[in-house]
Amino acid sequence: SANIFSNDAGITFNQHRRSYAHELLKKLKYGSADTFSFGRFQSPHAIDKAMSECRSAKSFKRHSSKDGKEGYYCSTRLGGDWVLAESKQVAKDCVPAEVLAAYLDGSNQKKWNEDKVLDINIARSGSGLYRQEMVLKPQRVLTGKTTIMRYTQKICVDKVGNGNYNAFVELDTKSKSNTKLRPFHILKVNVGLEQVGNDVHIYAAGIMKVNRKIVP
């Protein structure tokens, strides 16, 4: 079913399925990042498994952020300028809709990334569809310092089962507000929010073609 409004914490979703997809996801392979697709309604476990040919489970390193969030992070080179970035976190005593609502609040994202972000604006553009306009502070790079960078991301939210969510984020390469100088040329990220007991398990996997002028 499509274009249904969900009352969970005011979250809307684009499509809803009773269960995760059963189709096997093709594995991400070194040197073929440009052809990989996250599919739709895939479980966090299925996506994790699809990444397994590029890195092992031991590649994840524990990390504590300034805002007190703990989790595991991993960055893997995929050949050329392509990179896979992953994170696994647990949000205690909440439901996926609450985590998603916090993520879709631009003021939260600005607070979490205040060292790099000048402004974030997130607006709903349809049922379960959002546009995220990012403005980054000038950053120090090998050749000196960048100017302010802008880019727009499209977010599509799907609901799975009674309360799990998948959010797919990708760079809107056609947005006229994008500056030519930005951290990546291509970006696609799948964020899975899954209820496990009283907690929410968050698994984000992002594939990006980075701009080597910004990201060495």
Side-chain angles (χ1 to χ4, degrees), residues 27-93:
K27 291 198 171 182
L28 175 65
K29 295 185 185 296
Y30 183 91
S32 302
D34 57 329
T35 62
F36 179 79
S37 169
F38 284 106
R40 202 161 183 178
F41 299 106
Q42 290 286 341
S43 70
H45 174 73
I47 290 175
D48 192 0
K49 198 173 176 184
M51 306 296 141
S52 63
E53 279 197 15
C54 297
R55 52 93 185 125
S56 74
K58 293 177 183 176
S59 302
F60 283 85
K61 302 283 186 279
R62 193 175 185 84
H63 174 78
S64 300
S65 56
K66 282 187 280 186
D67 57 6
K69 280 191 293 198
E70 292 208 354
Y72 291 86
Y73 296 81
C74 178
S75 180
T76 309
R77 291 180 180 273
L78 296 173
D81 294 332
W82 291 88
V83 175
L84 166 66
E86 296 168 276
S87 70
K88 295 179 179 182
Q89 295 174 294
V90 176
K92 298 282 188 183
D93 298 317

Side-chain angles (χ1 to χ4, degrees), residues 110-187:
K110 188 177 175 182
K111 187 168 63 181
W112 297 333
N113 301 286
E114 60 185 356
D115 56 330
K116 292 180 180 175
V117 169
L118 199 60
D119 196 21
I120 295 180
N121 181 46
I122 301 175
R124 194 156 71 92
S125 57
S127 186
L129 302 174
Y130 300 83
R131 289 182 67 78
Q132 180 181 35
E133 295 178 355
M134 308 282 292
V135 184
L136 302 188
K137 293 176 180 178
Q139 294 177 25
R140 292 201 175 280
V141 291
L142 291 174
T143 53
K145 210 172 185 184
T146 69
T147 54
I148 288 173
M149 295 181 282
R150 299 172 186 269
Y151 58 90
T152 298
Q153 296 178 156
K154 298 182 288 185
I155 304 171
C156 178
V157 175
D158 287 331
K159 187 173 182 179
V160 187
N162 289 331
N164 295 331
Y165 289 91
N166 278 357
F168 181 68
V169 184
E170 67 179 327
L171 178 71
D172 182 359
T173 54
K174 294 179 181 175
S175 172
K176 291 177 180 174
S177 64
N178 292 348
T179 52
K180 284 186 179 178
L181 202 60
R182 56 181 185 266
F184 30 74
H185 302 296
I186 298 171
L187 170 76

